[in-house]
Amino acid sequence: MENRIKVRTVITYKSYFEDFFVKQKSKVQDKIIWTLDLIEELPRVPETYLKHLENTDGLYEIRVKLGSDIYRIFCFFDEGKLVLLANGFQKKSQKTPKQEIEKALKIKEEYENEK
């Protein structure tokens, strides 16, 4: 097994991400794990996989695509190298639902208040 060098560490915060993750089919879970590994290992992650959300205070979305299904996992950085996973959802429309973004921002705020 090759020795993987991590550029970042992806961690979960409370059970927000797990609640989403456990409901997914195993193929989707595999693709999510593959994408998270990529984020940990690539010095520059392409926007295809990790994109800053405009007009948010440091909120990013991890983008997972499997066939025609699209999933989003919100995350944010702590101390630059730590990626905290917030909520996830399956994307059904062109625009990211506002309530999902608001939920992610609340999770981020909760985390920062607890630090």
Side-chain angles (χ1 to χ4, degrees):
M1 197 168 184
E2 70 196 75
N3 195 5
R4 299 183 328 173
I5 297 166
K6 281 186 178 187
V7 181
R8 294 167 207 89
T9 304
V10 173
I11 64 166
T12 60
Y13 173 60
K14 296 196 170 167
S15 67
Y16 299 110
F17 169 73
E18 284 97 340
D19 293 345
F20 158 77
F21 186 77
V22 295
K23 292 180 197 144
Q24 306 311 314
K25 296 188 182 99
S26 64
K27 275 193 162 138
V28 175
Q29 290 182 348
D30 291 346
K31 186 68 186 261
I32 290 171
I33 291 165
W34 180 87
T35 308
L36 296 178
D37 286 345
L38 198 86
I39 290 166
E40 285 192 327
E41 293 164 28
L42 288 182
R44 281 190 60 100
V45 182
E47 272 200 354
T48 328
Y49 302 110
L50 183 67
K51 186 177 194 279
H52 179 256
L53 285 175
E54 283 175 29
N55 307 320
T56 65
D57 181 24
L59 197 61
Y60 289 77
E61 62 176 12
I62 296 169
R63 311 168 102 180
V64 179
K65 192 171 191 287
L66 187 66
S68 60
D69 294 331
I70 296 169
Y71 302 87
R72 294 288 184 261
I73 300 151
F74 291 116
C75 64
F76 48 92
F77 286 82
D78 184 15
E79 291 155 27
K81 299 284 181 214
L82 203 59
V83 181
L84 286 110
L85 302 178
N87 51 323
F89 67 99
Q90 184 170 359
K91 198 166 173 193
K92 305 275 191 191
S93 63
Q94 204 54 47
K95 253 180 107 48
T96 298
K98 201 174 164 69
Q99 76 267 20
E100 292 290 350
I101 295 174
E102 283 165 4
K103 183 178 175 186
L105 287 168
K106 280 198 181 87
I107 294 168
K108 183 176 185 285
E109 192 182 325
E110 188 185 338
Y111 171 79
E112 286 163 355
N113 290 337
E114 284 184 6
K115 261 174 56 161

